[in-house]
Amino acid sequence: MKGLRLYLPPFAPDTSGAAAVLYPLGGMVVIVDAGGCAGNICGFDEPRWQEEGAKSAVFSAGLRDMDAIMGRDDKLIEKVRLACEEIEPQFIAFIGTPVPAVIGTDYRALTRMAKKATGLPAIAVDSDGTKLYDAGGGKALLALCRAFAKGQTAGHCGTIGLLGLTPLDFSAGERDRLADALREEGWSAVCCYDRLTDFTQPCCRKNLVVSPLGLPAARFLAEHCGIPYEIGLPGAFLNDLAAKIASGLAKEDHVLIIHQQVLAGALRRALRQGGHHGPITCATFFEQPAGTSEPGDAVFREEDEFQAFVAGGRFTAIVGDPSLRRALPSFGGRFLALPHFAVSGTTSAS
């Protein structure tokens, strides 16, 4: 049944993916909602609020019934103008939710009004709360590139960019290990696209797409700024992760890896290079871009699809977020933890 969940939690939606991309950039992020979506983002889908204590200006539009019905955008813009006088953001970003999607909010008009009222750049992400985090995060990265990077040229230094690096896919520790692994490979600096100047003054010689949500921006930067890109993860990072996973596997295990497709596929290659002889299948509940999968890989849209795939797959080991284990009460093989915050809202391996 479409949308039925008996075991799995709701995954991070597109609104949360967009907010995760925008969180560290110094802008004013306005969730165009009545308050509920902003509460979910700040309370459940953004670990930096609790873990790092880093500041970010995230507001709810606080839409009321008549505001939504009558389309009173002028009231929202006045709120934005007054808030700008208090916090002095570098830009304004509107993130869509189900309410503006239903009433057909004109985001281009909204950004024009915001620019006129505040004198600041403004972008909008037309997320609607019904898709998953990678769709919204990809739209946010692309909107930033279109607004700030178009017309810029690539850098010629030894800097590599990481596109798609958000805490919904990678913990703070994994982020640090990724940067260390790239420096071991000879890169002098790592750009995480977590400052506005990373878009306005691109300095990367190459971009590395570490999750599917970074792919639309990578394509844009390649076309308009001449920055080439690859999809994957650095070898040193993968070797450490693969060694940890392999320690819980038998060499002949039939393995299913469930995560975002870039990490899952990269981990598969590292396990094979490390000597795993059994078949390895990758699966995801999120985007599976062309060229990142092998025959037999799967994309799940519903909980029962996941259960049926595992039941018919003869897998002896599953690698995935621990919360997925609840949906497989009859699975008798090994289940190895690979936490995915976008799935469970936690980085815990238990």
Side-chain angles (χ1 to χ4, degrees):
M1 182 182 296
K2 182 175 175 59
L4 177 64
R5 295 282 181 94
L6 299 178
Y7 300 98
L8 299 182
F11 302 153
D14 53 356
T15 53
S16 298
V21 167
L22 294 164
Y23 182 98
L25 298 177
M28 176 193 293
V29 179
V30 181
I31 314 299
V32 189
D33 73 331
C37 294
N40 286 337
I41 290 168
C42 297
F44 300 100
D45 292 338
E46 182 45 74
R48 285 168 289 193
W49 285 112
Q50 294 81 22
E51 293 179 359
E52 300 176 7
K55 292 183 178 180
S56 184
V58 180
F59 292 84
S60 167
L63 296 176
R64 297 296 174 256
D65 289 349
M66 290 309 297
D67 295 337
I69 293 169
M70 303 303 293
R72 293 170 176 167
D73 293 338
D74 56 327
K75 288 192 173 183
L76 172 58
I77 297 303
E78 179 61 13
K79 291 179 183 179
V80 169
R81 186 189 67 79
L82 292 173
C84 285
E85 293 179 355
E86 297 290 332
I87 64 172
E88 299 182 353
Q90 297 186 63
F91 66 96
I92 300 161
F94 297 99
I95 296 180
T97 67
V99 171
V102 169
I103 66 175
T105 295
D106 186 341
Y107 288 107
R108 285 187 293 182
L110 202 59
T111 56
R112 286 197 299 269
M113 292 169 67
K115 290 177 185 177
K116 183 177 180 181
T118 65
L120 294 171
I123 64 172
V125 182
D126 63 342
S127 50
D128 59 14
T130 67
K131 302 177 182 65
L132 296 176
Y133 80 101
D134 48 348
K139 286 183 176 181
L141 267 178
L142 184 57
L144 287 163
C145 289
R146 285 174 170 163
F148 300 112
K150 190 172 183 179
Q152 305 294 331
T153 57
H156 299 286
C157 60
T159 300
I160 186 169
L162 294 180
L163 283 167
L165 183 63
T166 74
L168 297 177
D169 286 318
F170 298 94
S171 68
E174 289 170 333
R175 173 192 170 110
D176 292 340
R177 291 197 296 274
L178 271 171
D180 291 341
L182 287 165
R183 293 188 184 98
E184 289 177 18
E185 293 184 356
W187 293 97
S188 60
V190 179
C191 167
C192 297
Y193 289 95
D194 55 1
R195 299 172 302 174
L196 190 60
T197 53
D198 294 337
F199 296 92
T200 59
Q201 303 169 25
C203 62
C204 299
R205 196 169 73 197
K206 183 175 78 171
N207 283 319
L208 188 64
V209 178
V210 297
S211 74
L213 72 83
L215 194 53
R219 290 169 175 158
F220 181 94
L221 292 171
E223 179 181 353
H224 295 278
C225 300
I227 306 175
Y229 70 89
E230 294 180 6
I231 302 174
L233 291 159
F237 174 82
L238 289 171
N239 293 340
D240 291 344
L241 179 60
K244 179 181 177 182
I245 297 298
S247 66
L249 297 174
K251 292 290 186 181
E252 304 298 329
D253 268 334
H254 186 179
V255 181
L256 174 64
I257 303 174
I258 310 168
H259 208 277
Q260 51 99 340
Q261 186 68 26
V262 174
L263 188 148
L267 178 58
R268 169 168 55 192
R269 289 190 294 273
L271 287 171
R272 287 171 176 167
Q273 292 169 0
H276 188 84
H277 303 305
I280 305 176
T281 302
C282 293
T284 186
F285 284 90
F286 309 104
E287 292 295 322
Q288 193 179 76
T292 63
S293 61
E294 295 182 2
D297 288 356
V299 178
F300 308 129
R301 300 303 178 198
E302 304 296 340
E303 180 181 278
D304 56 0
E305 293 177 2
F306 167 51
Q307 294 170 318
F309 186 81
V310 172
R314 298 182 180 179
F315 300 106
T316 57
I318 295 177
V319 180
D321 189 274
S323 67
L324 300 176
R325 183 69 178 85
R326 297 197 297 266
L328 306 171
S330 61
F331 177 68
R334 286 181 286 277
F335 196 103
L336 306 179
L338 183 63
H340 192 181
F341 192 90
V343 169
S344 61
T346 179
T347 55
S348 172
S350 60

